[in-house]
Amino acid sequence: MNPQLRDRVADWIAGDPDPATRAELATLPESELAERFSAPLTFGTAGLRGPIRAGPSGMNVAVVTRTTAGIAAWLQARCLGGSVVVVGRDGRHGSAVFATTAAEVLAAAGFSVRYLPGPTPTPILAYAVRALGAQLGVQITASHNPAADNGYKVYLDGGAQLISPADREIEAAVAAIGPAADVPRTPVHPAEETGLVRDYLDRAATLPRGSERDLRIALTPLHGVGGKVAVEALQAAGFAEVHTVAGQFAPDPDFPTVAFPNPEEPGATDALLELAARVDADLAIALDPDADRCAVGVPGPDGWRMLTGDETGALLGDHVLATQPAGSDPLVATTLVSSALLGRIAAARGARFARTLTGFKWLVRAGSGLVYAYEEAIGHCVDPDTVRDKDGMSAAVVVADLAATLKARGRTLLDVLDDLAVEFGVHATAQVSWRVDSTRESAAAMDRLRSDPPAEVAGEPVTADDLLERRGQDRTDAVVLTGSRVRVVVRPSGTEPKLKCYLEVVEPVTDRADLPRARAAAAEALRACERSLPHPG
């Protein structure tokens, strides 16, 4: 074995407090060890995420221990030692052990630890940080990743995800921590924090603005941890008839009935839509496994279908703005990869609009007066004063309020989408992902795009805007191609060796009778966009 690699592996094994992962490393061939020790997990979207496995590039007790010790040192360096911190977890493999590890390391470092009992939806953890005035929240979760993964999500004071430079500073603090086995731990008992959930539900009950409650709802948490709280939130808001997918309701870390536990993936919501059709529901709702994202299904002339995140974003944004008090100055926000429709709705409704970088760590910091934010990946923040992050459960309550209000008027969510299309034009969106062999290859593809951007897309002249040339918080690794009715955003994935392309076509509509033509034209233009994109190969 390479002597340097051999020494690194031996040092890690000597400092790993978990006998299971020590034994795992001792059995691996050199090629596998080289891969696992090539680079540690790094902070991506507000924390760590990766496969559950031994070594510095996986989620395991040693990595969680050192990460938590680094965060504790970072807080102490800012005179925040002894402050309140909250620790929660989802129901994935390893989550209970990792959450206990984090809680015990923080307790040994002198912090006042509130360790939430049992599997908990991520929005409850974000709410707890805000409600308890905590300086830190740690949620052990991998959201909608495959069953083999886990993660470590960090919230700071106020309940928002951390942003730079805090993430880089924390990484530096973690790098300075010695062997995990030397990090002190103090036993912590889970807190009786049922009052937090009760307070969250009380707040959810106030979110509906309408008085109508006649609505039959089908719901699935996709084997995640949000089912019970989501049903209770809907019932607290007055929506009594909630039918759930029985085989997907209890938390199950193996996600046995879905190939991929993400409501956006093909087939993931089949059981939900079958239930919705069987019980003659008015609305279908799918949460992702940690309940921070919400997908919406509706019945239509051709049967049930799931709305896109952009469709739900436009519906909820318009609904939230319509229910704001007179004289207020509301702000709504979305991301640079989401549809432009929300901005047009805001302008027409006399509201302010902001477009941020991708991720709710940016969206919830969009500005004062924020009342609603969404991203196209089915994330919605409908109550920023309570949860400063995406929250699938409160979003379910608000979309149910809209659907019930419309039902009482003999209308549907699809009718409102038609209204918006007539008023603002059809905004058709799609996403194309290209998998490459490595992040180096995706970086090279972005370099080629920057040096020679296309002059036209789908036969329409476009201009290129390289967001790496911007300063401050608007700077990111993305290129935006904009034409008169076409917009394309190309960026590398933050977690996988992929290039992602977000497409949008706007097709004007003359009247309601023109909608079929406009939608068909927009769909064809999207296909033309995809055909004309510069392939990374």
Side-chain angles (χ1 to χ4, degrees):
M1 184 182 295
N2 177 290
Q4 289 184 328
L5 175 62
R6 182 191 60 221
D7 291 345
R8 290 183 64 203
V9 173
D11 288 345
W12 184 274
I13 290 174
D16 189 340
D18 185 347
T21 46
R22 290 200 303 269
E24 180 183 340
L25 290 174
T27 65
L28 296 178
E30 181 176 357
S31 59
E32 177 70 11
L33 289 170
E35 192 274 326
R36 294 199 187 190
F37 282 78
S38 61
L41 284 185
T42 56
F43 274 80
T45 304
L48 307 174
R49 195 178 296 183
I52 303 169
R53 64 183 190 181
S57 65
M59 279 293 296
N60 52 68
V61 170
V63 165
V64 169
T65 299
R66 295 184 70 252
T67 298
T68 310
I71 290 174
W74 179 79
L75 287 171
Q76 289 165 338
R78 281 149 186 78
C79 301
L80 296 172
S83 56
V84 174
V85 297
V86 188
V87 178
R89 65 175 177 89
D90 66 11
R92 286 177 174 267
H93 292 296
S95 287
V97 172
F98 298 156
T100 299
T101 299
E104 292 184 351
V105 170
L106 288 164
F111 291 90
S112 176
V113 180
R114 308 292 177 88
Y115 183 12
L116 302 183
T120 302
T122 294
I124 298 295
L125 185 283
Y127 168 71
V129 173
R130 194 167 178 82
L132 297 173
Q135 292 296 325
L136 175 77
V138 172
Q139 176 79 346
I140 303 298
T141 180
S143 189
H144 53 278
N145 273 39
D149 289 356
N150 213 320
Y152 186 111
K153 196 169 188 178
V154 180
Y155 292 85
L156 299 182
D157 179 28
Q161 300 173 22
L162 83 166
I163 58 174
S164 291
D167 50 1
R168 303 284 82 88
E169 292 169 352
I170 289 172
E171 282 188 340
V174 172
I177 299 298
D182 294 342
V183 174
R185 292 173 56 167
T186 297
V188 177
H189 297 289
E192 290 297 329
E193 296 290 2
T194 54
L196 281 171
V197 177
R198 183 71 264 160
D199 291 345
Y200 172 89
L201 294 173
D202 288 345
R203 174 66 178 188
T206 71
L207 294 178
R209 298 293 189 263
S211 59
E212 302 297 334
R213 296 294 184 271
D214 178 19
L215 197 73
R216 184 175 297 126
I217 301 169
L219 181 142
T220 180
L222 284 185
H223 301 291
V225 298
K228 182 175 182 293
V229 178
V231 171
E232 290 176 347
L234 287 163
Q235 292 175 340
F239 300 102
E241 194 171 357
V242 182
H243 300 260
T244 60
V245 179
Q248 297 178 341
F249 193 76
D252 188 329
D254 293 318
F255 307 108
T257 69
V258 291
F260 201 94
N262 180 349
E264 294 181 292
E265 290 291 320
T269 58
D270 286 356
L272 170 68
L273 298 185
E274 289 169 7
L275 172 66
R278 187 168 68 250
V279 301
D280 193 24
D282 303 299
L283 182 70
I285 293 170
L287 306 177
D288 73 337
D290 69 334
D292 64 353
R293 303 198 305 158
C294 174
V296 177
V298 295
D302 300 319
W304 280 83
R305 77 169 178 92
M306 300 302 293
L307 301 180
T308 67
D310 283 320
E311 288 176 321
T312 304
L315 289 167
L316 287 178
D318 194 40
H319 181 55
V320 170
L321 287 177
T323 56
Q324 292 304 301
S328 63
D329 183 26
L331 170 70
V332 293
T334 191
T335 69
L336 68 94
V337 301
S338 302
S339 172
L341 179 54
L342 182 61
R344 295 187 168 100
I345 292 171
R349 309 299 187 249
R352 291 176 294 128
F353 170 73
R355 188 190 289 279
T356 74
L357 300 184
T358 55
F360 269 84
K361 62 184 180 182
W362 303 113
L363 280 171
V364 299
R365 294 177 170 94
S368 62
L370 184 68
V371 296
Y372 174 69
Y374 93 93
E375 60 184 0
E376 52 80 36
I378 60 173
H380 307 276
C381 177
V382 299
D383 188 16
D385 289 340
T386 302
V387 176
R388 299 195 70 210
D389 195 10
K390 55 187 177 291
D391 180 354
M393 299 173 295
S394 61
V397 170
V398 176
V399 78
D401 176 52
L402 172 58
T405 300
L406 292 171
K407 181 182 178 182
R409 300 172 185 167
R411 309 193 75 226
T412 69
L413 296 177
L414 294 180
D415 291 330
V416 177
L417 287 175
D418 287 348
D419 294 345
L420 295 173
V422 171
E423 185 175 1
F424 302 106
V426 171
H427 286 63
T429 59
Q431 184 185 146
V432 178
S433 292
W434 289 312
R435 184 170 290 278
V436 294
D437 291 335
S438 67
T439 55
R440 288 189 300 274
E441 188 174 333
S442 62
M446 291 298 297
D447 288 342
R448 291 193 296 272
L449 176 62
R450 289 187 167 93
S451 63
D452 187 23
E456 63 177 43
V457 171
E460 178 177 323
V462 294
T463 58
D465 184 9
D466 182 359
L467 302 191
L468 270 184
E469 295 180 352
R470 296 188 179 182
R471 294 185 176 183
Q473 292 187 350
D474 289 338
R475 186 177 188 272
T476 190
D477 187 3
V479 173
V480 182
L481 307 172
T482 307
S484 61
R485 68 185 190 110
V486 172
R487 184 172 180 269
V488 178
V489 181
V490 184
R491 70 178 184 94
S493 169
T495 57
E496 300 176 271
K498 278 183 179 181
L499 275 185
K500 292 187 173 183
C501 302
Y502 302 83
L503 319 177
E504 180 166 34
V505 170
V506 181
E507 179 70 25
V509 180
T510 57
D511 54 31
R512 215 170 187 85
D514 189 41
L515 272 174
R517 179 212 61 81
R519 287 199 166 113
E524 175 54 37
L526 277 180
R527 289 190 289 270
C529 280
E530 183 174 350
R531 290 193 297 268
S532 63
L533 287 175
H535 194 277

